[in-house]
Amino acid sequence: MAKTKMTVPDFKKFKEEGRKFAYVTAYDYTTASIVNESNIEVILVGDSLGMIMLGYDTTVGVTLDDMIHHIRPVVKGAPDTFIVGDMPFGSYQESPEQAIRSACRILMETNCDCVKLEGGAVMAPTIKRMTDVGIPVMGHIGLTPQSATSVGGFKVQGGTTEGALKLISDARALEAAGAFSIVLECVPSVVGKAITKSVSIPILGIGAGPDVDCQVLITQDLLDMYGNFKPKFAKQFAHIRAEMLKGLNAFHAETLSGEFPTLEYCFNKQVEIPQED
Ligand code: KIV
């Protein structure tokens, strides 16, 4: 049975009803279609595609065109799942006008359901302008990978009272600016819980402990596909990389032995072929 696609108002409704949901990434049609068949409610086409799909060291080199290129097939593959299009570095920091222009390109050229951008209170005026003109915006605070270099890498955030209070005021500023939900990345669980209690919009936690409204993971992390880096918070629910290696090596072995292809995998129509002299 097809699942019912979430809407923007559903996010707040789910929180009010204490109803949890789950959120993963996808960057291509095939993965999106598998997520669409699952019970997962939300897909993020994240700029993490720079690292996961393109092999970059950070997300900073991802362009608006890259994002649009990857969001389109995900929208096609997952018609029953709410789809978030990430705004890449450099596409919204300059001014609210730039952010509106970039968000409009993402929404109009891909037909995804909302955009997401990184940053706390400093981004509130931009988010306010965007939401005032009808752009649904998901915020992202805590560890914000686009600016990870400025804080010394991919590190836990909000680890002091001052840092935690700053994150709470960031979350409140984003809610007041009209964001309909907020990704909260890499913070101590007590901070995740405090932020979740401090706002009425859902907190979507990735490495933010159990007391958030929704859990987010990168699909390649949770399925153990991405070999290079395993964040502490990324539980592996399956081991697809090992399965893929098993399949690839079985194909290789049967190719070398001649076991593949058997008749079952061949076009067996008889065709008269004259002998050449
Ligand atoms: O780009 C991304 O995948 C993200 C997640 C880490 C939330 O922003």
Side-chain angles (χ1 to χ4, degrees), residues 25 27 44 46-48 86 116 118 140 145 183 185 206 216 218:
T25 54
Y27 317 105
L44 168 66
D47 63 354
S48 52
D86 217 0
K116 173 173 88 59
E118 296 182 7
H140 183 159
V183 169
E185 181 166 355
I206 172 162
V216 187
I218 289 183

Side-chain angles (χ1 to χ4, degrees), residues 158-160 164 168 184 187-197 207-211:
T160 60
I168 291 173
L184 176 64
V187 297
S189 301
V190 285
V191 178
K193 184 175 182 177
I195 294 175
T196 303
K197 278 166 66 179
D211 299 306

